[in-house]
Amino acid sequence: MLANFKAALKYLWNCPKYNFQIISVSFCEEDEKPRFYPEGTILIQYCQKFTVNLNLLMQRINLFIPIILLLGGSFSSLAQQNSLSLIPEPVSLQRGQGSFALTSTTSISVAAGQAEAAKIAAYLAAKLQPATGFGLKVANAPGAQGIQLALNSKPDTQLGQEGYHLEATAGKISITANQPAGLFYGVQTLLQLLPKEIESKTPVQGVKWEIPAVTITDYPRFAWRGIMLDVSRHFFPKEYVKSYIDQIARYKYNRFHWHLSDDQGWRVEIKSFPKLTSVGAWRVPRVGTFGSNEPPKPGEKATDGGFYTQEDIKEVVQYAKDRYIEIMPEIDVPGHSMAAIAAYPELSCTKDPNTKVNPGTKFSTWHSNGTFTMHIDNTLNPSDEKVYGFLDKVFTEVASLFPFEYIHMGGDECYKGYWEKDPGCQDLMKKLNLKNTVALQSYFSKRVSDIIKSKGKKAMGWDEILEGGLPPGAAVMSWRGMKGGIEAAHQKAPVVMTPSPHCYLDLSQGDPAIEPPVYSTVRLKSSYNWDPIPKGVDSTLILGGQGNLWTEQIPTAPQVEYMTYPRAFALSEVYWSPKGQKDWDSFITRIETHFERFDQARLNYARSMYDPMITVKKNEAGLLVLNLATEVPGLDVHYTVDNTIPNQYYPKYTEPVVIPEGADMVRIITYRGGKPMGRLISIKMEDLAKRVKK
C-alpha cells in the first residue's frame, strides 16, 4: 500500500493539469475509525504514518478544489475521479462544479438559419436515443437551458476550421464553432463525456445520464487525420464500410482512404469497362493463410468477392460527408493490377488470357535485399497508348463519384521484370531516352498524374513515385519510413506521413505466437510515441498522417476492429492533440475506459497491450535467457517452464530467466490486482530459440 501512496503523490506532483492542492493531511493508526469529511473531498486512505513535504508539493499544484489526504488507498481511484477519459486528448480542459443531467425533456437547440448546425443536432439526438430511450427534439431557437449548438457569427481565430468550444454547467451545455465540422467534433466529445452505457444499441435502465461540468477548448494539430481500409484483399459490404466510417468519426478522423483495386479484386463499378466488376471483382473461394492458398483449379467458379455500384459509392460518400470525412479513392497502378488484367488481359505486357483474380496464392518471391520477383504479370503496360485511354475513362468515372480533391494513384511495389523483356517497353525507353525501367515508371506516373489533373483533381501516390522524378503537383504518401516524406517536402510537395513502423494497422500488435501471421510488429506504444513532423522540413508541407489497414490476413469485420483498435486511438491523439500533452500512463487509463465503451457497443478490439514483450538471448553456457517487459505499467508477469499453466500463484518475473535444460515449453501471462489481463502465451523451446538475435 505504501507503493500506492507514493504513486499517488507522484501522480499529483507530475500532473498539474488536474489543478489539485493538498490542504490537509491526516495520519491514523490501523485501528482508528475513519473520519468524515465534506462532500466532494477526495481521499487516499493509508493506515500507516507517513511524512510528506507539503510545502514542496503545493508549489507544484494550483488551488482549485479542496483535497484532504487520509493516508491509505489507491492511486487509480484518484485518477478515475479526477480525469475524463477523452480520446483524443483536448487542447484545454477545466473541471467545474456539478454536472448536467440529461433527461427525456432535455432540448437540443440551434440558432435560426443554421441548417448545418440543425443537421448535427439531429445527429446528436439520434446518437442519444438508442441507449437512453429519449426522443429528444431539436428546437430552432436557443433556449435558456438544455444543449445548444451554434456557429460563431464572428470567427474565433484560435479554433480554426475544425475546433470547438464546449461548456457544460448544471443548467446547460453549449457547443460553439466557426464551422460545422467543429460542432460535429464537439458533439463527439460530448458523447464521450456521458457514461459508457451511451454506446449501447438498446435502452439501458438505471443509468444517470450525467455530463460533468467542464470547459473545453479544442482544435486539431493536423488537417489530415486518416484511416485507410483495403477492400480488395477482402471485400467488406457497403453497410459495414459505413459503420467503420461512423466509428472513426467518433475519434475525430476526417479522411477515409478507400483502397478499391488490387491483385485480389476490383471493387468499384466502371460503366465504361463492365468486366472490371463482372470478372475482376470475383475470385475462387479460399480459407487459410493468405499468401499460401492454392491457385484456381481448372473450371473452378469464382464466387468470392463483390463490388460497389456507383450508387453505393455515392451513398457512402454522402454518409462520410455527413460525418465531415472526405473519401480519397485509390486505383493502384501500374503494379497491383492483376484483377484489372484478369478482366482485360490486353492491358499487360504478357497479355495472358489465363490470368485470374488472385485468391491469396504465393505469386511473388521477396529477396533479402528488398527486391522481389513476380511469377505472374500484374503490371500495366506503360508503352501501350490503349492503357492510358483505359485509365482516362476509369479516372473520369472515379472523379465524378468522389468530390474530394485528391485521387490516389498507387505506384507502390511495381515489378518491372516484364517491362525489361517487352519489346514495346524497350522501344519506348529508347525513344524517350529513359535510362532504366525506374525512369519508365516515372514516365507512367507523370502520364497518370496528368490524367487525374485533367479531371480537376490532384494526384497522390505512395513514396515510390519519387523514384525517377516526382510528377509535378503530386502529393506523396510516405510509407517506407519517413525518408520519402522528407525527400518530398524538400521538393516542396505536400506529404501525408504513414510510415509502416508506426502506422500499419495490419501488422502484429503483440507476440507473434498469438497474433496473425504477418512480417512485422507495431506495438501500441510505437504508434503513440511517433510524431509525423521530422526535423529539418517545412512543417506546413506535412498535411498530417493516417493509419493503413491492409486486409490480406483480415477476412472478417471483427478482425478489422481487432486490428484497428486501440492503435487508431493512439494515432487519433497523434494527429489531433498537442504534441506536448502526450502522457502514456494517462493514455492507458483512457484506453481502458474506451474498452468498456466498446464492450457496450459490441465492437471488437485488441488487448495485446497487456501481453508481455518477449526477447531471448543465449548465455555463455548456451542456455536460453528469457527477458520480459510490459507496455502497460503495473502489470505482474507470471511464467512457467514445466508445462503447467501459469496464474497469479506461479512465479512472478523479476529478472531474466535462464531456461533449464530439458524444458520444452514456456508459458507466460500478465495479471493486475489478481486478475488476468493479457492472454496466455505458449511458445515451444525450438520456436523460442529461433528468436535469438545473432
Side-chain angles (χ1 to χ4, degrees), residues 1 60 72 76-77 91 103 105 169 178 255 277 311 349 367 388 462 484 526 609 626 647 659:
M1 295 184 75
R60 297 293 301 275
S76 61
S77 65
V91 172
T103 70
T105 62
T169 66
N178 296 332
R255 301 285 185 268
T277 47
E311 291 306 309
C349 289
H367 309 298
Y388 299 105
W462 302 108
S526 179
M609 68 182 196
L626 190 67
N647 57 26
I659 306 296

Side-chain angles (χ1 to χ4, degrees), residues 630-668:
T630 62
E631 281 188 301
V632 175
L635 296 179
D636 294 325
V637 184
H638 299 271
Y639 67 93
T640 64
V641 294
D642 57 5
N643 280 325
T644 57
I645 306 298
N647 57 26
Q648 70 269 40
Y649 306 116
Y650 278 77
K652 184 167 69 173
Y653 178 85
T654 57
E655 61 183 2
V657 178
V658 178
I659 306 296
E661 288 189 34
D664 58 6
M665 180 77 74
V666 60
R667 290 188 169 94
I668 308 162

Side-chain angles (χ1 to χ4, degrees), residues 615-627 656-663 685 688-689 692-693:
T615 57
V616 62
K617 61 181 181 180
K618 282 188 177 182
N619 63 13
E620 294 180 354
L623 297 174
L624 296 178
V625 180
L626 190 67
N627 290 273
V657 178
V658 178
I659 306 296
E661 288 189 34
M685 287 304 159
L688 194 66
V692 176
K693 293 184 178 180

Side-chain angles (χ1 to χ4, degrees), residues 174-187:
S174 67
I175 303 175
T176 58
N178 296 332
Q179 297 292 332
L183 287 183
F184 182 79
Y185 296 132
V187 164

